[in-house]
Amino acid sequence: MDAFYSFLLTLLIIIVVLLILVSFLFHICGFIVHQTEGIVIERFGSYRKTLGPGIHFVFPVIDRPRSFTWTRTYIDVNGAICDENTTDYRVDLRESVFNFLRQEVYTKDTLLLNVNSIMYYSIVDIRKAVYEVDDLPSAIMNVAQTQLKEVFGRMTFQECMTSQDQINEHMKQAFLPRFLKWGIRVERMELLDIIPRNTIAESMQKQMIAERDRRSQFILAEGQKTALRIRAEGTKVMKPMVWQSKNRLVRYRKETLRVVLNWFVRRVKVWSW
């Protein structure tokens, strides 16, 4: 019986040791990649392969995952958009948001605007995203700044305020071929806000007030003009009617006078008889 217990104990120890060994080996040479992730594997510092979803095994020590630095954009509990730099060897392939820093741009009519925009993107080629450019977030930021200055420099302030959809589409078409070279597909662009400087805002407010006053005066003048026209047309229509009424009244008076005179003449004839 003691020999049996000793055998079970030995077998249990062997199983535990094997589990620990397998876990250790899987930890150093095995990877579980989720559905929306990808991992770049390097061998002695050079690109080896890209791991897709599933279980993968690599050679320990000589094969290592390549770290990837990116800017993660999220909305905090206060509803503000926040950016956080993350470094990980697991690359997220889902659609994400890139928040561009606020930038000052000049319009065609030399007005200074503060512009904030975001980009919805997804990584379609992990190898290009990792190797084609040294600092991908900074490169995207620099391209966006240049493109924003170019777009707003061709438009007046009024056009910028009324053509945001066209600006978003233009920026998407401009970014799409450039960012595809870096393994990124631009889904859409959105301008969050366009804020003029304080002096410009005050000038705009004064201009709006002046425009409202001008329009109110114009409407008042149009109302007075319309009232005079209606009054003139009414007078034009009423004048013949007044003359007709006067003529009818004179005719009635003459008719009444004639009837009275005839009646009086008949009475006089009767009395004379």
Side-chain angles (χ1 to χ4, degrees):
M1 186 64 84
D2 294 337
F4 180 72
Y5 286 142
S6 299
F7 173 75
L8 290 180
L9 181 60
T10 303
L11 182 61
L12 181 60
I13 293 174
I14 293 174
I15 293 175
V16 171
V17 172
L18 288 176
L19 288 176
I20 294 174
L21 181 60
V22 170
S23 299
F24 176 74
L25 291 176
F26 186 80
H27 177 72
I28 62 175
C29 65
F31 294 94
I32 298 178
V33 184
H34 299 111
Q35 181 64 37
T36 58
E37 293 178 345
I39 300 176
V40 173
I41 300 297
E42 293 181 340
R43 176 171 293 180
F44 296 119
S46 63
Y47 174 78
R48 171 62 178 170
K49 59 182 178 180
T50 300
L51 304 182
I55 299 177
H56 302 271
F57 295 93
V58 297
F59 290 101
V61 181
I62 63 174
D63 290 342
R64 291 184 177 275
R66 171 65 183 265
S67 297
F68 182 68
T69 301
W70 190 244
T71 301
R72 188 175 69 91
T73 302
Y74 63 95
I75 300 177
D76 61 8
V77 294
N78 297 323
I81 299 178
C82 301
D83 298 326
E84 179 184 8
N85 291 328
T86 59
T87 301
D88 195 0
Y89 63 85
R90 296 181 181 271
V91 181
D92 193 350
L93 303 180
R94 294 173 297 180
E95 181 174 317
S96 303
V97 179
F98 190 92
N99 180 33
F100 295 102
L101 297 177
R102 288 189 174 274
Q103 179 184 355
E104 291 186 343
V105 295
Y106 281 97
T107 62
K108 186 177 181 180
D109 45 0
T110 66
L111 294 180
L112 185 61
L113 304 178
N114 193 326
V115 180
N116 185 23
S117 61
I118 58 176
M119 177 183 70
Y120 292 86
Y121 71 94
S122 58
I123 297 178
V124 294
D125 193 326
I126 302 176
R127 182 177 181 179
K128 290 182 179 180
V130 173
Y131 292 106
E132 287 296 327
V133 63
D134 180 33
D135 189 351
L136 187 57
S138 298
I140 292 177
M141 191 73 68
N142 293 333
V143 172
Q145 290 177 352
T146 304
Q147 193 64 33
L148 282 172
K149 290 180 180 179
E150 179 181 350
V151 171
F152 281 90
R154 297 177 180 177
M155 307 175 69
T156 63
F157 174 73
Q158 189 65 27
E159 292 173 343
C160 294
M161 299 300 293
T162 57
S163 306
Q164 294 190 20
D165 292 338
Q166 289 81 351
I167 295 175
N168 294 336
E169 185 63 25
H170 177 80
M171 291 177 61
K172 176 185 175 181
Q173 297 303 325
F175 288 162
L176 193 59
R178 298 185 184 183
F179 290 169
L180 278 178
K181 297 179 181 178
W182 299 338
I184 294 178
R185 182 178 62 223
V186 179
E187 305 295 343
R188 63 186 184 276
M189 295 287 303
E190 289 187 8
L191 287 174
L192 294 182
D193 50 20
I194 302 175
I195 304 176
R197 297 183 62 181
N198 293 334
T199 54
I200 299 176
E202 294 176 358
S203 301
M204 290 176 55
Q205 186 177 5
K206 293 179 180 178
Q207 182 180 0
M208 290 176 60
I209 294 175
E211 180 67 18
R212 290 176 181 175
D213 292 340
R214 186 188 68 81
R215 294 183 64 179
S216 63
Q217 292 176 1
F218 175 78
I219 293 174
L220 181 61
E222 284 293 323
Q224 294 177 351
K225 180 179 178 181
T226 303
L228 290 175
R229 180 174 56 80
I230 294 174
R231 187 178 300 170
E233 292 177 355
T235 302
K236 183 178 179 180
V237 173
M238 290 297 296
K239 190 173 183 180
M241 296 177 64
V242 171
W243 281 105
Q244 291 178 5
S245 300
K246 289 182 177 180
N247 292 334
R248 191 178 297 111
L249 180 61
V250 171
R251 189 170 63 252
Y252 286 163
R253 287 179 178 177
K254 290 181 178 180
E255 185 67 22
T256 303
L257 181 60
R258 185 180 61 81
V259 171
V260 171
L261 289 176
N262 290 336
W263 179 82
F264 183 75
V265 169
R266 286 197 300 270
R267 299 299 296 178
V268 169
K269 290 181 178 179
V270 171
W271 289 343
S272 61
W273 285 98

